Structure formats: structure tokens, C-alpha cells
């Protein structure tokens, strides 16, 4: 994976660097107790800093095959990760990331509804 500092140091603009490595949402609060009320992920790289028990995030609708999202959980509780409405993640309705854990979600379908997460 490319490192932003090296890319900008080689002459790429910050915008070009973001287009290569993805944007960052560094301080998210996990919310909601289901897919309908969860925090909507809007950046390729998301760090959860606050996570009450039972809260979570939902992956974006309209993703393309092999779109990838990384999620770091620095909150005090395990968080749930939900696929877009009508979708699946690891064949089910949600996945989890433990406190101080890191998850990678990858869209594996043309309709943006099938996801795998590790």
C-alpha cells in the first residue's frame, strides 16, 4: 500500500494522494443499534473513537466490485458493521470489530450488496 507522505513527497498533490490511498474519517462515533440507525461510512478509512455497547456503522450503498473500506475500532466496545440495505456481509446480516481491532470490508458484487470482511 502506498504511503501518503511518500506520494506527496514525490510531487503528487494532496488530492491525487487521497485519490490513491482513500480519504480518512479520523474520529467517528458509532451510533444506532441496527442497519437503519447505524453511522453511514463515507470515507475509505474510518476510525471509530467512541463506541457505546451495541452501536455500529453501515457500509455505503452503490459500491463497485473490489471497493475496500478499512475500519479501526478505538472505542470502548465491540462495534457492528452492516452491509447496505438488502445486502450481506460474510453471508450474514452483520460482522463485528472488537475494541482495538481493525476490519477490512470488500465489495464483491456488481450490485454493491455482497461484502466480505476480515
Amino acid at each position: 500500500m502506498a504511503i501518503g507522505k511518500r506520494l506527496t513527497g514525490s510531487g503528487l498533490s494532496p488530492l491525487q494522494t487521497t485519490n490513491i490511498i482513500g480519504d480518512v474519517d479520523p474520529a467517528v462515533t458509532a451510533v444506532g443499534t441496527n442497519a437503519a440507525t447505524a453511522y453511514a461510512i463515507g470515507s475509505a478509512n474510518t476510525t471509530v473513537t467512541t463506541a457505546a455497547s451495541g452501536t455500529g456503522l453501515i457500509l455505503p450503498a452503490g459500491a463497485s466490485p473490489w471497493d475496500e473500506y478499512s475500519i479501526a475500532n478505538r472505542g470502548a466496545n465491540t462495534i457492528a458493521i452492516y452491509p447496505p440495505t438488502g445486502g450481506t456481509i460474510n453471508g450474514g446480516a452483520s460482522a463485528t470489530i472488537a475494541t482495538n481491532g481493525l476490519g477490512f470490508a470488500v465489495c464483491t458484487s456488481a450490485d454493491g450488496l455482497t461484502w466480505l470482511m476480515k
Side-chain angles (χ1 to χ4, degrees):
M1 169 128 348
I3 298 173
K5 193 176 214 178
R6 286 195 329 211
L7 291 172
T8 55
S10 70
L12 293 178
S13 73
L15 180 58
Q16 290 169 315
T17 298
T18 297
N19 285 332
I20 293 169
I21 64 171
D23 52 347
V24 177
D25 198 347
V28 167
T29 298
V31 297
T33 56
N34 57 48
T37 58
Y39 177 89
I41 294 173
S43 296
N45 305 291
T46 301
T47 299
V48 174
T49 54
T50 305
S53 181
T55 58
L57 288 74
I58 186 167
L59 292 161
S64 297
W66 296 108
D67 281 356
E68 181 180 317
Y69 293 83
S70 62
I71 304 133
N73 181 10
R74 300 304 236 165
N77 294 283
T78 296
I79 57 173
I81 307 298
Y82 301 100
T85 301
T88 61
I89 189 165
N90 295 345
S94 67
T96 59
I97 302 173
T99 298
N100 293 318
L102 180 62
F104 296 97
V106 178
C107 178
T108 60
S109 64
D111 64 6
L113 296 178
T114 306
W115 293 78
L116 291 176
M117 190 170 139
K118 180 126 178 118

